[in-house]
Amino acid sequence: MKKIRAIYIGDVKYNQCPVFELKENGWFEMLGDNELRYEKEECFDEDSDFIIFEVENDDVNLVNKKD
């Protein structure tokens, strides 16, 4: 099953980096705390500080975003 996940670049400076997953409701929700979330458009279209990945089985691929 393919999943779309994202990380926020600014979080990599900390000891832990939250991972967000795109849910069927159109929101990227933080794994482990679904109360923290971002709309899909915020991550894909409006904020270049999110890195988006496709995850399927053990394969991880970077998703190229439109600039």
Side-chain angles (χ1 to χ4, degrees), residues 23-36:
K23 301 296 183 176
E24 291 180 12
N25 62 9
W27 290 78
F28 276 95
E29 295 179 359
M30 188 172 100
L31 298 177
D33 182 3
N34 63 357
E35 301 245 345
L36 183 54

Side-chain angles (χ1 to χ4, degrees), residues 23 40-41 47 51:
K23 301 296 183 176
K40 180 182 175 187
E41 289 76 25
D47 197 335
I51 302 174

Side-chain angles (χ1 to χ4, degrees), residues 26-58:
W27 290 78
F28 276 95
E29 295 179 359
M30 188 172 100
L31 298 177
D33 182 3
N34 63 357
E35 301 245 345
L36 183 54
R37 60 187 180 180
Y38 296 94
E39 286 187 87
K40 180 182 175 187
E41 289 76 25
E42 285 182 68
C43 294
F44 268 104
D45 299 329
E46 297 174 9
D47 197 335
S48 62
D49 288 335
F50 277 94
I51 302 174
I52 311 295
F53 301 92
E54 288 181 346
V55 179
E56 188 168 19
N57 301 320
D58 289 334

Side-chain angles (χ1 to χ4, degrees), residues 6-20 30:
I7 61 171
Y8 182 72
I9 293 171
D11 287 338
V12 299
K13 61 186 169 191
Y14 301 109
N15 291 339
Q16 295 182 346
C17 183
V19 176
F20 297 84
M30 188 172 100

Side-chain angles (χ1 to χ4, degrees), residues 51-54 60-64:
I51 302 174
I52 311 295
F53 301 92
E54 288 181 346
V60 178
N61 296 300
L62 180 65
V63 173
N64 291 322

